[in-house]
Amino acid sequence: MKYRRLGQTDLLISEVGFGVWSVATTWWGVRDIALGRRLLRQAYDLGINFYDTADVYGNGRGETMLAEALEGIPRDKVIIATKFGYDFYRYGGQRQGHGELPQDFSSSYVRKALEESLRRLGTDYVDLYQVHNPRLSALERDELFATLEELQRQGKVRYIGVALGPDIGWEEEGLYAMTQRKVSSLQIIYSILEQQPARRFFPVARETGCGLLSRVPHASGLLDGTYRPGMTFPPGDHRAHRRQGWLERSLRKVERVTFLWEAEMARTIGQAAIQFCLSEPTISSVLPNITSEKELKEFAAAPHTPPLTPEEVARLHHLFDHDFFLEPEQAPA
């Protein structure tokens, strides 16, 4: 494994991290908790030291699973990031499908959420505490960041970050978090097929010293070999709601980038997707969706495959900027 510093912090994190949501929720098809714990532990054995979870993943399960998986490992050997903001304590039983729960960023809720996360994680501090999918109005609240800074002074939180979402976008929030709140990290969506607004964040991250965390590098399975034409997903899988025709058009885009892993490139499609993210210096770690031992080993090995050349990266930017030279998408009748 290779490691990078997270922005201007003293956290040296693995270039490939483990996004716990892929094993703590059923949104990616993993329903075996024992498998999830096993993968989390095997990741450490492969050199992964950065784990990204959230209190709302599995209504606390993501944090307890992580604590169980890492039992016996010295606390200072792992970097734990978690998130807060969704009030699943009050509304956890009322989630509609994959819809968002109500958010609470009040000082009292933040303090409660952190204490509960520390208890579930079995630790007395979190390395990176992230505001989970905030709207601009939340980021503009001085009380929120005053509370977070106080928790830092108390030693319960080492660094403060913001995770953008739930889907791609949120450019205004990302820019505000970096320039006005000077957060240590910003978690974004970035992949060969989903390059904006991430590329507009890069120069600002360089100027502010913010470390970027890139999730969903495989575009929800399009860039790891998961998808096949005409396939469907079972109810509960978050990919099942995609609009008709999306898969076929997306796979045609993937066909335009096969030069990354064909011939003698010595990298798989999944590894090429991770290397694309790592080609950007402001990205400190990539968080692929890991659902099997095969994926874990493949993705963990990605930093040791041939990096993308500047020419390859420029070609991928050009393809994206021209919608991969596909014909214009037809509006629904």
Side-chain angles (χ1 to χ4, degrees):
M1 182 55 63
K2 297 180 181 179
Y3 302 85
R4 295 186 181 186
R5 191 168 302 281
L6 178 63
Q8 295 181 333
T9 74
D10 63 354
L11 302 178
L12 200 62
I13 64 178
S14 49
E15 289 187 343
V16 174
F18 201 124
V20 180
W21 79 318
S22 61
V23 295
T25 72
T26 59
W27 291 17
W28 294 91
V30 177
R31 291 174 169 79
D32 184 346
I33 295 177
L35 170 64
R37 285 195 294 263
R38 188 164 64 249
L39 292 174
L40 290 167
R41 183 60 178 238
Q42 289 175 341
Y44 177 80
D45 296 335
L46 291 172
I48 291 175
N49 74 342
F50 179 56
Y51 293 86
D52 175 73
T53 189
D55 57 3
V56 76
Y57 294 166
N59 290 352
R61 185 190 304 124
E63 292 174 331
T64 56
M65 281 180 65
L66 186 58
E68 292 163 357
L70 300 181
E71 185 177 2
I73 295 174
R75 177 64 180 86
D76 62 355
K77 297 299 183 182
V78 293
I79 309 297
I80 296 176
T82 193
K83 312 180 192 75
F84 69 94
Y86 288 113
D87 188 0
F88 68 94
Y89 299 99
R90 292 180 60 191
Y91 303 102
Q94 301 179 27
R95 182 192 293 265
Q96 297 297 315
H98 295 150
E100 290 185 86
L101 292 171
Q103 292 177 311
D104 190 342
F105 294 111
S106 66
S107 179
S108 60
Y109 182 79
V110 174
R111 295 175 189 279
K112 171 189 174 182
L114 177 59
E115 292 302 326
E116 291 295 324
S117 286
L118 293 175
R119 177 184 61 81
R120 287 189 292 265
L121 288 165
T123 184
D124 56 4
Y125 70 92
V126 170
D127 297 287
L128 180 64
Y129 203 39
Q130 300 164 99
V131 189
H132 200 175
N133 298 349
R135 278 47 175 178
L136 186 62
S137 59
L139 295 174
E140 291 174 336
R141 296 179 58 172
D142 291 336
E143 177 196 33
L144 169 59
F145 285 87
T147 301
L148 291 170
E149 289 164 5
E150 182 180 350
L151 294 171
Q152 273 187 302
R153 290 191 293 271
Q154 294 173 358
K156 296 181 179 181
V157 171
R158 294 183 67 188
Y159 296 101
I160 298 166
V162 166
L164 297 181
D167 208 339
I168 198 167
W170 311 101
E171 181 176 2
E172 188 175 12
E173 285 79 1
L175 295 175
Y176 187 92
M178 288 189 286
T179 60
Q180 303 303 310
R181 294 305 181 185
K182 308 296 183 183
V183 294
S184 295
S185 74
L186 186 70
Q187 187 173 144
I188 62 175
I189 289 177
Y190 185 53
S191 75
I192 293 169
L193 302 184
E194 299 165 316
Q195 297 184 25
Q196 295 290 13
R199 280 165 48 190
R200 293 192 282 273
F201 292 146
F202 298 156
V204 180
R206 285 192 288 271
E207 293 169 7
T208 61
C210 181
L212 300 179
L213 303 171
S214 174
R215 72 176 185 272
V216 203
H218 298 113
S220 298
L222 285 163
L223 293 166
D224 66 6
T226 296
Y227 281 106
R228 300 179 304 279
M231 73 181 298
T232 60
F233 293 92
D237 191 299
H238 86 107
R239 294 163 290 190
H241 72 283
R242 298 284 189 172
R243 69 184 186 277
Q244 186 177 11
W246 167 81
L247 176 57
E248 285 69 24
R249 184 175 180 85
S250 298
L251 287 174
R252 291 174 62 195
K253 294 179 181 179
V254 175
E255 292 173 357
R256 300 290 200 273
V257 300
T258 56
F259 63 89
L260 292 174
W261 57 86
E262 288 181 335
E264 302 298 323
M265 297 312 299
R267 51 167 109 100
T268 66
I269 175 176
Q271 291 169 337
I274 291 173
Q275 283 286 20
F276 171 73
C277 297
L278 292 174
S279 69
E280 170 51 46
T282 58
I283 291 179
S284 302
S285 185
V286 181
L287 299 165
N289 296 113
I290 298 169
T291 61
S292 68
E293 186 173 346
K294 176 181 180 295
E295 288 178 338
L296 172 60
K297 291 180 177 179
E298 177 186 349
F299 299 160
H304 294 280
T305 61
L308 271 61
T309 66
E311 293 75 19
E312 287 174 324
V313 174
R315 183 175 174 183
L316 293 171
H317 287 175
H318 184 68
L319 283 166
F320 178 86
D321 292 342
H322 293 84
D323 197 26
F324 295 84
F325 295 96
L326 299 181
E327 68 280 1
E329 194 166 8
Q330 298 296 316

